[in-house]
Amino acid sequence: MKRQKSFLRWLLMTQLFALVLTICSTSTDCIEVINGTYSTQDKCEQIIFEERYFNADCRPVDIALHPDGVVITKN
C-alpha cells in the first residue's frame, strides 16, 4: 500500500506526454488512439521520428485520481 501511494504521488507530480496517432479510413471517420506515454516531450517526438509516424502528435496529459483508479484526461 505504501508503494502504491508513493507511485501515485510521483505520478501526480510528473508531466507525461501521450503519443497520439490519428487513424483514418475510407469507410469511417478518423479516430485518435494513444500509442504510448513518455516522461518527456523529446522522447515522445523521438519515437515519432524513429517509427516514421506521419499522423502523430505528442500531447501533455492531465492525470486525475478517480475512485475507480487513475484517469488520464485530454487537455
Side-chain angles (χ1 to χ4, degrees):
M1 187 66 156
K2 186 176 180 180
R3 177 177 257 167
Q4 183 179 12
K5 286 183 180 181
S6 296
F7 173 74
L8 290 175
R9 189 177 306 115
W10 171 84
L11 189 61
L12 290 172
M13 294 173 57
T14 303
Q15 176 68 62
L16 295 175
F17 293 87
L19 194 162
V20 180
L21 297 174
T22 302
I23 301 171
C24 301
S25 73
T26 56
S27 61
T28 62
D29 293 333
C30 297
I31 61 168
E32 292 182 330
V33 296
I34 296 175
N35 189 44
T37 55
Y38 301 91
S39 58
T40 66
Q41 186 169 2
D42 288 340
K43 178 64 178 169
C44 183
E45 290 172 354
Q46 177 184 355
I47 297 299
I48 290 175
F49 177 77
E50 289 175 358
E51 297 295 326
R52 296 185 171 100
Y53 292 133
F54 294 102
N55 294 327
D57 191 20
C58 293
R59 298 182 190 168
V61 293
D62 290 330
I63 300 170
L65 291 180
H66 189 271
D68 296 329
V70 176
V71 177
I72 298 176
T73 59
K74 184 178 178 182
N75 277 348

